């Protein structure tokens, strides 16, 4: 079956059952609960026609065999409720498509011996699939089943191309439902609205978003280099009361980033539509020179390329020596091979910065998630070495840097 035929799921089945006094249903549950028949839109405890004082319990034929096969202590408990082997009988049920769970439907129609449709992401009313090749002939059936069975789902899409490294979106095919891609999700006490077909959103990063928000001190500063629609920036401003500079190159992401700032009624968020390197080099220096006492965090969540943008920090404050040193923590993401993930991540960062990172400068190195069996997404959080920021441009002659001592007492906070 490659096109869903709901009529094929209509069948008559016989299941074991037991009649019991209504007042004893609750008392019998310690024994019967694990045996109850569990199907969609089918109550396992039903009324007995013509007798309000009795109830019928429908049991799973796979789990329950006979009264005699029950443990002795369970038999004793049922005997105390006036139940014995003669209390059990068989009941004929008329089942239809709506009675079967998603897994039951897929098991009935998808190829045996191969991985089924075991995982998907939900983004508001949208289900996002990444189907393997052997499931593609069944894609429309899979989509329709998900629309039928999952409450609130109106659209099912399948990823049909790799993620574009420039704007971080991808081509998708609608398998079932409406071609409506504007959706809303709630995460970290915030509401996010966006067009899923035009921006990047990964619900599996919810935990990582929360981890970063918890790392941010209250009223600190966040520079979000690849902000997307704001999963770091908006809760940072709303929950942690941070001063936020949020940037994304994708015009659609920038549009929805601004919309989410408005939707969540957050203040102290400046938004930008710039290349990440340009954002770092143009927007950070003025702030670093005027508000140096606040903890500053920089998020760089573009795993395919983020490490390459770290060179923007080299010489960012060239020719200036700050007193005191700035407290800047960078959270950068990258994909690494499983076998050498942690050493590879550190080596990548040090190579991009052209500077070593001391152990005490590392805040944490986190394995965020498995992308594939041999590919991991990692985050290295580290305090950027001051020498990286103040390094003189290579073409300039070496000279004593002009010293800029900041009068902290007179700074406008």
């Amino acid at each position: 079956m490659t096109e869903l035929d709901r009529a094929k799921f209509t069948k008559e089945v016989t299941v074991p059952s037991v009649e019991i006094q209504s007042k004893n249903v609750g008392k019998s549950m310690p024994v019967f609960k694990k045996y109850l028949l569990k199907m969609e839109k089918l109550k396992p405890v039903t009324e007995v026609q013509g007798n309000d004082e009795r109830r019928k319990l429908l049991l799973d034929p796979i789990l329950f065999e006979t009264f005699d096969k029950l443990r002795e202590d369970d038999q004793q408990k049922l005997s105390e409720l006036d139940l014995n082997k003669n209390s059990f009988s068989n009941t004929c049920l008329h089942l239809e498509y709506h009675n079967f769970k998603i897994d039951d439907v897929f098991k009935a129609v998808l190829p045996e011996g191969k991985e089924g449709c075991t995982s998907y992401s939900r983004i508001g009313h949208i289900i996002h699939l990444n189907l393997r090749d052997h499931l593609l002939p069944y894609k429309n059936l899979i989509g329709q089943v998900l629309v039928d069975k999952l409450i609130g789902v109106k659209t099912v899409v399948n990823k049909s191309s790799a993620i574009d490294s420039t704007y971080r979106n991808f081509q998708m095919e609608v398998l079932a439902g409406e071609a409506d891609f504007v959706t809303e999700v709630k995460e970290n006490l915030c509401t996010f609205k966006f067009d899923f077909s035009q921006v990047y959103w990964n619900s599996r990063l919810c935990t990582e978003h929360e981890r970063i928000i918890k790392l941010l001190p209250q009223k600190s500063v966040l520079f979000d280099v690849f902000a997307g629609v704001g999963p770091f920036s908006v809760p940072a401003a709303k929950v942690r009361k941070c001063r936020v500079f949020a940037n994304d190159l994708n015009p659609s992401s920038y549009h929805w980033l601004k919309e989410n700032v408005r939707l969540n009624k957050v203040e102290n968020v400046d938004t930008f539509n710039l290349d990440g390197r340009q954002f770092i080099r143009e927007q950070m220096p003025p702030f670093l020179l005027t508000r140096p006492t606040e903890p500053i965090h920089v998020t760089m969540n573009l795993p395919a390329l983020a490490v390459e943008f770290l060179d923007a920090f080299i010489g960012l404050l060239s020719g200036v020596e700050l007193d005191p040193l700035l407290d800047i923590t960078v959270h950068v993401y990258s994909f690494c091979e499983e076998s050498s993930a942690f050493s590879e991540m550190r080596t990548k960062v040090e190579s991009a910065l052209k500077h070593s990172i001391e152990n005490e400068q590392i805040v944490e190195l986190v394995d965020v998630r498995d992308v594939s069996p041999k590919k991991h997404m990692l985050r290295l959080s580290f305090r950027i070495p001051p020498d990286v920021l103040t390094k003189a441009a290579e073409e300039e002659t070496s000279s004593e840097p002009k010293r800029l001592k900041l009068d902290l007492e007179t700074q406008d906070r």
Side-chain angles (χ1 to χ4, degrees):
M1 185 186 298
T2 55
E3 295 294 330
L4 181 61
D5 184 353
R6 298 175 181 83
K8 295 290 186 182
F9 291 86
T10 300
K11 61 191 304 184
E12 307 290 329
V13 299
T14 300
V15 301
S17 60
V18 59
E19 286 193 15
I20 186 173
Q21 290 185 332
S22 300
K23 65 180 182 179
N24 289 334
V25 170
K27 297 177 183 178
S28 72
M29 282 301 109
V31 176
F32 286 132
K33 185 176 182 179
K34 58 180 173 290
Y35 298 114
L36 290 178
L37 182 65
K38 297 176 182 176
M39 298 197 72
E40 296 290 315
K41 300 182 180 179
L42 182 69
K43 295 181 179 179
V45 181
T46 64
E47 295 181 354
V48 175
Q49 189 172 4
N51 191 338
D52 293 338
E53 296 183 356
R54 297 187 69 77
R55 293 290 185 269
K56 178 183 285 190
L57 275 58
L58 303 177
L59 306 176
D60 190 321
I62 297 176
L63 302 176
F64 180 85
E65 296 183 56
T66 64
F67 177 84
D68 294 333
K69 293 291 183 69
L70 294 174
R71 294 189 331 222
E72 289 187 12
D73 59 328
D74 284 342
Q75 291 184 29
Q76 178 61 36
K77 291 176 183 177
L78 295 181
S79 297
E80 294 172 359
L81 300 176
D82 297 325
L83 296 176
N84 54 51
K85 63 181 181 180
N86 296 322
S87 305
F88 293 80
S89 61
N90 290 324
T91 296
C92 184
L93 297 178
H94 176 79
L95 299 180
E96 297 182 1
Y97 170 75
H98 64 262
N99 295 124
F100 292 92
K101 298 177 182 178
I102 291 177
D103 291 343
D104 295 328
V105 175
F106 287 158
K107 185 177 180 180
V109 299
L110 297 181
E112 292 185 37
K114 294 185 178 181
E115 182 181 359
C117 183
T118 56
S119 64
Y120 53 81
S121 297
R122 180 161 184 171
I123 308 96
H125 68 270
I126 301 171
I127 293 294
H128 171 217
L129 298 169
N130 190 5
L131 295 176
R132 296 185 180 276
D133 289 343
H134 70 274
L135 292 177
L136 291 178
Y138 308 88
K139 61 186 181 181
N140 296 115
L141 180 149
I142 291 171
Q144 191 58 59
V145 171
L146 293 172
V147 169
D148 289 346
K149 298 291 184 178
L150 296 177
I151 296 174
V153 169
K154 299 179 181 179
T155 308
V156 178
V157 301
N158 184 48
K159 178 180 175 182
S160 57
S161 68
I163 293 177
D164 176 81
S165 60
T166 303
Y167 285 162
R168 292 196 295 175
N169 53 13
F170 54 85
Q171 296 297 314
M172 60 182 68
E173 177 186 8
V174 177
L175 304 184
E178 309 166 5
D180 178 10
F181 303 121
V182 177
T183 188
E184 287 190 12
V185 298
K186 295 185 182 298
E187 184 180 288
N188 291 320
L189 304 178
C190 298
T191 299
F192 296 94
K193 185 176 182 180
F194 49 85
D195 183 336
F196 183 59
S197 68
Q198 298 297 319
V199 306
Y200 178 81
W201 180 274
N202 189 338
S203 298
R204 293 171 180 163
L205 292 177
C206 174
T207 300
E208 174 62 11
H209 296 155
E210 184 179 8
R211 276 195 292 253
I212 290 294
I213 300 307
K214 289 181 177 179
L215 281 176
L216 300 176
Q218 286 283 342
K219 297 183 178 181
S220 57
V221 178
L222 174 65
F223 284 87
D224 195 356
V225 183
F226 311 108
V229 300
F232 289 135
S233 294
V234 175
K238 184 173 182 178
V239 180
R240 308 301 280 177
K241 309 302 179 186
C242 294
R243 176 78 170 92
V244 177
F245 299 83
N247 174 73
D248 202 276
L249 179 63
N250 182 347
S252 293
S253 295
Y254 175 64
H255 166 78
W256 292 109
L257 172 63
K258 293 191 295 180
E259 173 63 14
N260 290 324
V261 168
R262 185 199 65 79
L263 189 63
N264 289 276
K265 300 178 181 179
V266 293
E267 300 177 353
N268 294 326
V269 178
D270 290 339
T271 57
F272 303 87
N273 181 209
L274 303 172
D275 169 75
R277 189 173 281 104
Q278 180 185 1
F279 171 69
I280 293 171
R281 298 201 69 86
E282 290 183 1
Q283 300 304 319
M284 286 192 70
F287 185 87
L288 297 181
L289 292 172
T290 58
R291 300 189 178 184
T293 62
E294 299 162 330
I296 299 164
H297 288 252
V298 182
T299 45
M300 303 179 70
N301 184 16
L302 182 63
L305 296 172
V307 170
E308 298 178 16
F309 286 77
L310 288 173
D311 64 2
F313 290 101
I314 300 175
L316 191 65
L317 300 177
S318 178
V320 173
E321 184 173 331
L322 296 176
D323 183 12
L325 298 177
L326 295 171
D327 179 11
I328 303 177
T329 302
V330 176
H331 311 276
V332 63
Y333 296 80
S334 186
F335 296 127
C336 298
E337 293 293 326
E338 178 187 24
S339 59
S340 59
F342 290 96
S343 60
E344 180 185 347
M345 183 67 177
R346 183 169 181 170
T347 300
K348 280 184 176 182
V349 171
E350 291 180 333
S351 176
L353 291 174
K354 299 180 181 179
H355 197 287
S356 62
I357 301 173
E358 304 299 328
N359 289 337
E360 58 269 21
Q361 292 172 324
I362 295 178
V363 178
E364 60 181 6
L365 185 54
V366 178
D367 191 341
V368 177
R369 70 184 187 98
D370 298 349
V371 180
S372 66
K374 294 184 178 181
K375 184 179 180 181
H376 288 231
M377 176 180 172
L378 270 71
R379 166 173 53 86
L380 179 62
S381 295
F382 65 97
R383 292 186 174 86
I384 194 162
D387 289 349
V388 171
L389 298 174
T390 59
K391 181 179 180 181
E394 294 182 359
E395 65 271 17
E396 293 178 359
T397 57
S398 177
S399 61
E400 185 69 21
K402 180 181 178 181
R403 186 175 184 83
L404 176 61
K405 184 177 180 66
L406 299 172
D407 184 359
L408 303 183
E409 288 74 15
T410 61
Q411 289 300 309
D412 180 9
R413 302 296 302 280

